[in-house]
């Protein structure tokens, strides 16, 4: 049985970091990073248990530090801002239309 609950550590990090939560939902690269961190935490929890570490508090602190260190959001936010600016530029040039929610388009 692993010592770490990676899902809860990631969830706690995203709950206290709105930028990270936003990036996890809207930036595919950041979402992939969240998935990789979840996998690393799972493997770390198993490795700690196999090595005989029994201190759950220590394991949780190490896991939380990994989550905080690996899920920084600056790059993800910069990518989202760059993409939004690119789409805005295309819109202003008349090359793309702004998407409308389906309920505002009416039925065909």
């Amino acid at each position: 049985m692993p010592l770490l609950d990676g899902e809860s550590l990631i969830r706690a990090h995203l709950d206290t970091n709105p930028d990270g939560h936003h990036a996890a939902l809207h930036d595919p690269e950041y979402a992939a990073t969240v998935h990789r961190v979840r996998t690393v935490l799972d493997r770390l929890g198993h490795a700690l248990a196999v090595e005989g570490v029994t201190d759950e508090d220590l394991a949780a602190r190490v896991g939380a530090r990994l989550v905080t260190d690996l899920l920084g959001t600056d790059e993800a936010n910069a990518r989202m801002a760059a993409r939004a600016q690119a789409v805005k530029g295309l819109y202003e040039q008349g090359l793309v239309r702004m998407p409308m929610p389906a309920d505002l388009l009416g039925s065909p």
Side-chain angles (χ1 to χ4, degrees):
M1 170 127 185
L3 289 174
L4 289 174
D5 182 3
E7 184 65 32
S8 67
L9 291 172
I10 290 171
R11 196 174 307 262
H13 176 77
L14 295 178
D15 286 348
T16 60
N17 292 284
D19 288 341
H21 189 265
H22 180 79
L25 295 174
H26 300 288
D27 179 31
E29 291 178 48
Y30 190 81
T33 299
V34 170
H35 178 71
R36 283 190 297 273
V37 169
R38 186 178 293 115
T39 302
V40 167
L41 291 173
D42 179 52
R43 299 311 329 148
L44 176 63
H46 284 287
L48 290 172
V50 167
E51 291 298 321
V53 175
T54 58
D55 187 344
E56 291 182 15
D57 186 49
L58 171 66
R61 286 195 317 269
V62 170
R65 180 172 291 222
L66 281 174
V67 169
T68 299
D69 290 349
L70 297 175
L71 292 184
T73 60
D74 291 342
E75 291 176 19
N77 288 332
R79 277 193 305 273
M80 287 188 298
R83 288 178 188 149
Q85 187 60 39
V87 170
K88 183 178 177 186
L90 293 172
Y91 171 73
E92 289 170 350
Q93 295 173 31
L95 298 174
V96 296
R97 294 182 357 183
M98 286 302 245
M100 296 286 291
D103 59 338
L104 295 178
L105 294 175
S107 57

